[in-house]
Amino acid sequence: MTTQDTKIEKEAGDLSRRDFLGLLGKGAACAGALVSAGSALASAGGGAVNALGGVGPAYQQAPEQYAEAVKNPPKIPNYNWTQHKWAFGVDADLCIGCLRCVEACKMENSVQMDRNHTRTWVERYVYLEGEHHALVDSIHDIKNVVPGSKETRFKFDDRYKDGQFEGKKVEKAFFVAKLCNQCEKPSCVQVCPTGATYKSVDGPVLIDTKYCIGCQYCVQACPYGARSLNHERGTAEKCNWCYHRITKGLQPACVEVCPTGTRVFGDRMDPESPVSEFIRNNKVSVLQPAMGNYPNVFYKGIDKEVF
Amino acid sequence: MEKDVFYHVAPFSGFTFPNETEVPWSELIVIYPYITGLVAGAFVVSSLHHVFGMERFAPISKFALLTSLCFMFFAPTPLLFHLGQPTRALNAVLTPHWTSAMAAFGYVAGFYICLLLLETWFSFRADIVAMSKSRTGIMQKVYQALTLGSDDVSPRALHTDHTIARRLAMIGIPGACGLHGYVGFLFGSLKTREWWSSDLMPIIFLLSAVGSGVGLLIVIYVITSWWRKKPTDGGAMEGLLYVLWTGIVVVTVIEALEMVQMIYKAREGVEGVFALIQGPITNSMVIQWGGGLLALIITSIMMLYNTRGKKLVFWLFISGLLMMIGVLAMRWNVVIGGQELSKTMRGLMTFHPEAYGRESLITVSMLFTAPFVTLYLAQKLLPTVWESDEKEHEDKVFDIHKAI
């Protein structure tokens, strides 16, 4: 059991479940929409009828399951969102670009299984000899889709094999993981015309998928490209740091599967949490500070080219 | 279903974010500011007569008002077709989130439709009353219903109509400016896109709206006059020439200023802007600037040489059409162009519109044809739309009154 688990155990009883649901309101329903997707881990292939019994790409929650999850939100242990301030760290020096995080996220959160919709992704930066700008690619490059996987699995291709590319030597290369920054001043929340997307007290920006009208103004407003449209639901889609997991004391799926410890997650109110230590012990930066969004994902070891 | 997923996915080059490769706002969002622009432009022309008493616009002022109304009915429809959850559209009106510019849309559009309806009713009330007396059968019932029970056509009542219509038009001018300036704000207030994020955006949208609206009026006026086998009014055509010329001059200068500012400031990503202009939107930029400049040259020559008669009608028609096409291309460049330049400023997308489907060119053409059809039906319902001489008109009303 982690420190967080213990802490949340202690909190049990401070707040009844009903209070919690009342407090979270739409957020709980939103998290509920995601919960049954975990079982989708079992189904790996694409196809017309997926293992969930729904039509569409594998891992995508069937409409009936989505409706059920929205109707009957999951049982979540007592949790007080005023007692947490979640934050995320990315140590770019450790990332090996294995993309387990991307796949884990897609499975956990029933994200559309194509390369053009994602809640988290990894960018590969490569400087060739004598070049001043890096070549960048990510999972939306068709070459980084595992052949025959119907865009359900990703792997960075070996175009830089033997440290060469089009006759030029690779000088420097690194990976940077990206996800929603759960900004302190989120532009997406500012522009949402209905208030379907909102900033939770404990940090993550959530979406009420029952209230979203699918105008995509938030998609336009996000400086980090973290949002997309879920076509099957006709509503906006974004990373919420696996809110259904973190409120139970678990780690987000991407952090859970990261084999190198690139992704760090925790509670900033707890000085001993991994993310508090990460921020304390490293010189960290955030993406595009000039946007004035005050992101909550802190990076270590990123380059001037990272946008 | 799978096709839907890849619906608006655009091919990309350079470095873009994965989610960006799907273009969120399609051709429907191009047509939306275009239609509201036509509304604003047509309304301005009608107000030149109604508010400022410019008599040369009298023959077309009622028609301009009706055009404005018919287009306004369809201004919100592209948005409805675009929403992922159209049945929830009213959420934004019932529980508006006021920090969002978009939350005001329902109110702004609703207010403007009501205002136009009221002004149209007051402007046409005397005609409706006259027709409720002269027509028979079901149409009589229709006109009787349209009078809303107010069939007083005494000079005092007509004077009141006129006063109220004028006051409504006075409210309508800031309303039209607000409506369209607001559309510009929707785009200009987004800090994420260099191509949109300009303080001049509301002004550019507003001015080009006036230009395209006047262009539309010229085009419809010339075509309908030809159709009705009636000559166009020389004074009105001259007036339209002056308004169009002013519109084109101002909008060209402001747009050029915006481009120069963007390039001169040369903030991070200006190379991306160059690449965008030289890449995905080259053709539409040529149409926008070519159309605008050509219309400017033609109208300037006509102003210089005081062109009148058939030549004026023909070349003004061409200029109006060029302005309409130019502004449509401008809307494309803003809406689609802005999304084709990646938020990273180091990549480009190329958007290819779909021909068929919910968000497609066919939907766009249907939504853009609808106001014309409505306008045709509206002028069938209110045939006095072309009668400008109020005095003559009042006489006619009284004649009918006497007959009864």
Side-chain angles (χ1 to χ4, degrees):
Chain A
M1 193 177 274
T2 65
T3 330
Q4 275 168 29
D5 291 347
T6 325
K7 200 167 177 201
I8 283 171
E9 287 280 289
K10 278 184 202 158
E11 278 168 11
D14 289 347
L15 201 66
S16 75
R17 181 176 159 243
R18 181 191 283 177
D19 289 344
F20 167 63
L21 287 177
L23 191 64
L24 284 185
K26 296 157 181 173
C30 173
L34 312 166
V35 83
S36 61
S39 60
L41 281 160
S43 86
V49 178
N50 65 40
L52 293 168
V55 180
Y59 312 135
Q60 178 73 42
Q61 207 173 25
E64 312 84 64
Q65 288 171 312
Y66 170 65
E68 179 58 25
V70 169
K71 208 170 126 196
N72 297 316
K75 292 182 178 66
I76 306 172
N78 292 335
Y79 169 81
N80 188 345
W81 71 356
T82 59
Q83 292 178 6
H84 302 278
K85 194 73 195 168
W86 303 112
F88 207 104
V90 174
D91 188 343
D93 292 336
L94 299 180
C95 186
I96 54 170
C98 67
L99 299 177
R100 292 310 97 183
C101 47
V102 174
E103 285 180 18
C105 173
K106 288 217 172 205
M107 293 179 204
E108 180 69 26
N109 296 302
S110 49
V111 182
Q112 283 176 172
M113 288 306 294
D114 61 89
R115 63 199 163 94
N116 304 99
H117 297 82
T118 186
R119 289 188 179 195
T120 183
W121 65 99
V122 178
E123 289 162 4
R124 170 166 67 177
Y125 290 77
V126 177
Y127 281 85
L128 297 177
E129 200 173 22
E131 298 285 338
H132 296 296
H133 292 289
L135 292 171
V136 194
D137 65 310
S138 188
I139 61 162
H140 56 316
D141 189 331
I142 189 76
K143 290 176 194 155
N144 294 335
V145 175
V146 173
S149 70
K150 291 191 179 169
E151 305 200 355
T152 55
R153 292 183 59 220
F154 306 95
K155 181 179 179 293
F156 279 111
D157 72 344
D158 54 0
R159 72 186 76 171
Y160 301 108
K161 210 176 167 186
D162 307 325
Q164 298 282 328
F165 183 70
E166 291 176 353
K168 283 187 180 171
K169 210 177 130 199
V170 171
E171 214 165 52
K172 176 166 87 172
F174 56 93
F175 297 99
V176 177
K178 296 270 187 87
L179 68 163
C180 174
N181 285 282
Q182 320 291 359
C183 309
E184 279 308 296
K185 292 186 178 174
S187 346
C188 53
V189 171
Q190 185 189 23
V191 302
C192 176
T194 62
T197 190
Y198 57 98
K199 175 91 179 152
S200 64
V201 175
D202 48 352
V205 173
L206 305 175
I207 303 173
D208 180 354
T209 54
K210 288 187 297 177
Y211 212 69
C212 172
I213 59 174
C215 67
Q216 303 194 61
Y217 205 16
C218 56
V219 180
Q220 301 284 14
C222 175
Y224 306 102
R227 282 179 173 249
S228 62
L229 182 82
N230 185 323
H231 284 262
E232 298 201 4
R233 286 174 202 158
T235 56
E237 171 85 46
K238 74 180 280 294
C239 161
N240 53 20
W241 288 351
C242 287
Y243 201 66
H244 58 297
R245 289 174 60 91
I246 61 174
T247 49
K248 289 180 199 150
L250 300 169
Q251 298 273 318
C254 57
V255 178
E256 190 86 39
V257 298
C258 180
T260 61
T262 300
R263 290 173 181 251
V264 184
F265 181 79
D267 187 353
R268 287 198 77 179
M269 283 192 179
D270 173 7
E272 302 306 315
S273 77
V275 81
S276 297
E277 283 186 1
F278 177 79
I279 295 168
R280 195 164 57 237
N281 297 335
N282 294 296
K283 293 187 199 71
V284 293
S285 57
V286 293
L287 299 175
Q288 301 185 54
M291 282 290 166
N293 279 27
Y294 300 97
N296 275 314
V297 176
F298 299 91
Y299 284 85
K300 178 198 163 199
I302 54 172
D303 188 80
K304 69 173 174 65
E305 287 290 282
V306 178
F307 196 79
Chain B
M1 195 66 89
E2 293 217 1
K3 186 178 175 290
D4 278 351
V5 172
F6 301 102
Y7 211 51
H8 297 297
V9 171
F12 65 93
S13 61
F15 166 38
T16 72
F17 294 129
N19 286 330
E20 273 191 300
T21 47
E22 187 195 47
V23 175
W25 288 354
S26 66
E27 57 271 36
L28 283 172
I29 308 298
V30 175
I31 207 78
Y32 152 66
Y34 188 58
I35 294 180
T36 54
L38 298 176
V39 172
F43 187 81
V44 166
V45 174
S46 99
S47 299
L48 288 176
H49 172 62
H50 282 146
V51 179
F52 302 107
M54 294 187 186
E55 281 305 317
R56 63 166 80 238
F57 292 106
I60 52 164
S61 74
K62 272 183 170 181
F63 176 67
L65 182 62
L66 208 57
T67 307
S68 194
L69 177 68
C70 292
F71 276 78
M72 192 59 213
F73 281 138
F74 293 92
T77 51
L79 297 182
L80 213 51
F81 272 80
H82 170 259
L83 289 185
Q85 289 284 354
T87 53
R88 296 179 191 167
L90 284 180
N91 284 6
V93 181
L94 298 173
T95 55
H97 184 232
W98 288 118
T99 59
S100 167
M102 206 181 268
F105 174 78
Y107 295 98
V108 174
F111 166 77
Y112 205 62
I113 288 182
C114 290
L115 188 120
L116 283 172
L117 273 172
L118 277 175
E119 195 189 335
T120 311
W121 188 76
F122 279 108
S123 303
F124 285 91
R125 196 184 65 87
D127 310 328
I128 296 170
V129 172
M131 279 176 294
S132 73
K133 314 265 186 204
S134 60
R135 295 288 176 97
T136 52
I138 189 149
M139 283 320 284
Q140 186 177 33
K141 299 268 180 243
V142 170
Y143 286 113
Q144 272 171 358
L146 283 176
T147 60
L148 304 178
S150 165
D151 60 354
D152 182 1
V153 282
S154 63
R156 193 163 157 265
L158 291 179
H159 179 72
T160 311
D161 281 356
H162 184 75
T163 314
I164 294 178
R166 179 165 182 266
R167 284 180 188 167
L168 286 170
M170 280 174 72
I171 303 170
I173 295 173
C177 295
L179 171 73
H180 214 68
Y182 160 77
V183 176
F185 180 81
L186 278 180
F187 292 93
S189 62
L190 284 183
K191 58 190 171 190
T192 42
R193 298 204 182 273
E194 181 70 13
W195 193 233
W196 288 350
S197 179
S198 160
D199 299 340
L200 286 174
M201 198 58 97
I203 298 173
I204 291 177
F205 260 67
L206 183 58
L207 293 171
S208 57
V210 174
S212 64
V214 177
L216 171 80
L217 273 185
I218 294 169
V219 169
I220 305 185
Y221 184 44
V222 172
I223 291 179
T224 47
S225 300
W226 172 75
W227 180 271
R228 294 182 305 129
K229 298 190 172 56
K230 294 271 169 67
T232 50
D233 183 273
M237 289 305 272
E238 276 170 45
L240 287 171
L241 169 66
Y242 300 151
V243 181
L244 185 65
W245 184 79
T246 314
I248 299 172
V249 168
V250 181
V251 78
T252 311
V253 169
I254 301 268
E255 273 180 32
L257 277 175
E258 194 218 7
M259 289 283 280
V260 171
Q261 269 205 14
M262 195 185 285
I263 293 163
Y264 194 82
K265 272 194 271 179
R267 288 200 300 209
E268 186 185 9
V270 74
E271 296 83 4
V273 172
F274 287 132
L276 174 74
I277 296 170
Q278 290 161 11
I281 59 167
T282 308
N283 292 341
S284 41
M285 280 301 263
V286 170
I287 298 172
Q288 176 191 339
W289 285 94
L293 290 176
L294 214 57
L296 180 63
I297 292 168
I298 297 172
T299 46
S300 300
I301 292 173
M302 287 196 289
M303 296 276 284
L304 268 178
Y305 291 96
N306 276 324
T307 313
R308 296 289 176 266
K310 277 191 175 175
K311 266 190 189 168
L312 174 69
V313 175
F314 177 76
W315 287 109
L316 195 56
F317 176 79
I318 298 290
S319 308
L321 201 60
L322 282 172
M323 194 61 191
M324 280 184 75
I325 297 168
V327 172
L328 180 60
M330 178 254 180
R331 303 287 190 250
W332 178 278
N333 291 335
V334 170
V335 178
I336 302 295
Q339 300 172 88
E340 283 177 327
L341 175 59
S342 167
K343 288 171 184 169
T344 64
M345 309 283 191
R346 277 172 248 167
L348 293 172
M349 267 74 65
T350 310
F351 176 74
H352 297 290
E354 294 280 323
Y356 305 101
R358 184 164 66 113
E359 290 199 61
S360 65
L361 293 176
I362 189 107
T363 315
V364 165
S365 32
M366 279 160 67
L367 291 181
F368 193 62
T369 314
F372 290 96
V373 176
T374 314
L375 185 59
Y376 173 76
L377 297 174
Q379 62 91 31
K380 282 273 178 203
L381 189 69
L382 302 167
T384 52
V385 69
W386 296 109
E387 288 174 21
S388 56
D389 192 346
E390 279 177 18
K391 200 163 184 309
E392 176 199 316
H393 193 57
E394 280 171 24
D395 290 345
K396 199 158 94 192
V397 173
F398 292 138
D399 284 349
I400 292 163
H401 220 52
K402 276 176 206 160
I404 297 160

